[in-house]
Amino acid sequence: MSTRKKNRASSKSSSSTSTSPPSSASSLSSSTSSSSFEHHFSMLVDIAQKEKEEIKEERMKLDQDRAEFTIMTEKAKVMTFPKSIVLDVGGKRFHTSLDTLLSDPRSYFAAMFGGRVPLTPQADGSYFIDRDGTHFRYILNYLRTHELILPRTITEDPALMKEFKREAEYYQIEGIINDEPSPAFDDSLIIGSSPSHQQQLVDWLIHDITTSSLLYRASRDGYSPSAFHRLCDGRGPTYTIIKVGPFIFGGYNPKSWLSDSSWTPTTGSFLFSLTNYYSLPPTRIEPQDGIHGPHNHPNTGPAFGSGHD
């Protein structure tokens, strides 16, 4: 029995001795693993902290943008503008509508009259823009119709085209910046091949032209009054060009054609002759009274004056 106890003790001692080295290695491995984990954990904490700070900065910026937008919206609610606007562009005055100025939401005018910038009218109620007004009529006409019409004096002169493009860029009119103008009257079979006649009409109508789109051609659409009124009524200012033999003449209506038998006041309207029997130079003929301008009768085509046939 004594021997057995000794052997059992020896076995315990041997077991204890044989397991001591693995225990030491396990302790070393555990220590190394713990150090690596703490290092990675620290890195993750740093990354998370940086991301948290970035999110905080973005949130602060978003809150600031939201506050500015709210202020801007409130200003827009307070700032009201009349439907008719007078612009003073470098000393030249232009009359237009608020709807026209807001027609391009990304333009300078949308910012100006949309409440996004402080705006105070002059003593006479007009709004001053410190730019040269030489080319402004074309920009304003583009906002009215979104069709660019320029006279050949500009399209054929690189320096003037550069000036015009610079103005379009200032007013942020992308449709003009990215588009090339089409000369007025090019779609006319009567004067489309005559630059001199086109230029003459542009010079006469330059303050009022808003589009050169062809609305009605008798040889294509029919000669009936109903065809004329169906295509031209309510389309804004129009010019009528007629050719009989070698003679070219016509008239200008500054208002929309109607079919209510009314007379359009003569203000702004006129007749013209480009070529005539007497070989006179191109002539603009002013109305004699202020009442009988274009006649809006459903049973006639384009008619001008009280003595029309």
Side-chain angles (χ1 to χ4, degrees):
M1 291 180 64
S2 176
T3 302
R4 290 178 183 175
K5 288 181 179 180
K6 187 177 180 179
N7 289 340
R8 191 177 294 137
S10 177
S11 175
K12 283 185 176 181
S13 176
S14 175
S15 174
S16 175
T17 301
S18 64
T19 57
S20 180
S23 176
S24 176
S26 175
S27 176
L28 179 62
S29 175
S30 176
S31 175
T32 303
S33 176
S34 175
S35 176
S36 176
F37 173 78
E38 290 176 357
H39 174 70
H40 287 297
F41 180 77
S42 177
M43 290 179 60
L44 291 174
V45 170
D46 290 342
I47 293 173
Q49 186 63 31
K50 289 180 179 179
E51 289 181 349
K52 183 178 180 180
E53 291 175 358
E54 290 176 357
I55 292 173
K56 184 178 180 181
E57 291 178 0
E58 291 179 359
R59 182 175 297 171
M60 291 176 62
K61 184 178 179 182
L62 182 61
D63 290 341
Q64 182 179 357
D65 291 343
R66 185 182 291 110
E68 291 177 356
F69 179 78
T70 301
I71 294 173
M72 189 170 63
T73 302
E74 292 304 316
K75 284 184 177 180
K77 291 179 180 178
V78 174
M79 296 177 66
T80 58
F81 300 96
K83 292 183 178 180
S84 179
I85 302 291
V86 179
L87 298 177
D88 180 348
V89 185
K92 294 185 177 182
R93 296 170 71 84
F94 298 87
H95 294 254
T96 187
S97 69
L98 181 62
D99 288 342
T100 292
L101 295 175
L102 297 178
S103 63
D104 184 342
R106 294 179 296 275
S107 72
Y108 169 93
F109 304 105
M112 184 177 182
F113 292 96
R116 284 181 273 171
V117 294
L119 189 62
T120 303
Q122 300 185 105
D124 62 358
S126 65
Y127 295 90
F128 179 74
I129 301 176
D130 190 15
R131 301 292 293 183
D132 187 345
T134 302
H135 303 308
F136 188 74
R137 65 172 68 94
Y138 309 113
I139 290 174
L140 193 56
N141 284 340
Y142 176 83
L143 290 175
R144 289 174 175 141
T145 64
H146 293 280
E147 183 174 0
L148 180 58
I149 305 297
L150 294 176
R152 291 182 183 274
T153 51
I154 293 180
T155 59
E156 295 179 357
D157 187 325
L160 291 180
M161 274 301 299
K162 185 176 181 180
E163 283 183 7
F164 176 74
K165 286 287 188 178
R166 187 180 297 118
E167 292 303 298
E169 289 170 357
Y170 176 82
Y171 295 116
Q172 302 174 35
I173 312 296
E174 294 183 5
I176 294 179
I177 297 171
N178 300 327
D179 191 18
E180 291 298 325
S182 56
F185 308 105
D186 266 12
D187 51 3
S188 171
L189 295 180
I190 298 176
I191 65 170
S193 60
S194 175
S196 62
H197 287 162
Q198 293 181 44
Q199 186 59 54
Q200 182 61 77
L201 288 186
V202 168
D203 291 342
W204 280 336
L205 308 178
I206 199 61
H207 296 290
D208 295 311
I209 284 183
T210 57
T211 179
S212 69
S213 298
L214 181 66
L215 300 179
Y216 168 76
R217 177 180 290 147
S219 60
R220 180 193 66 186
D221 303 311
Y223 291 86
S224 68
S226 60
F228 168 76
H229 285 285
R230 174 172 52 84
L231 295 170
C232 298
D233 281 8
R235 299 299 298 273
T238 56
Y239 53 82
T240 300
I241 305 173
I242 303 169
K243 183 176 183 180
V244 178
F247 309 129
I248 302 173
F249 54 94
Y252 177 67
N253 183 357
K255 304 294 183 180
S256 289
W257 289 102
L258 302 171
S259 298
D260 59 359
S261 300
S262 66
W263 294 92
T264 298
T266 58
T267 304
S269 65
F270 59 86
L271 300 177
F272 62 84
S273 170
L274 294 176
T275 60
N276 52 76
Y277 178 81
Y278 299 101
S279 299
L280 297 173
T283 304
R284 171 172 166 159
I285 306 168
E286 302 296 338
Q288 297 300 311
D289 63 46
I291 301 174
H292 301 99
H295 192 205
N296 302 301
H297 200 285
N299 295 331
T300 63
F304 296 82
S306 59
H308 63 273
D309 295 330

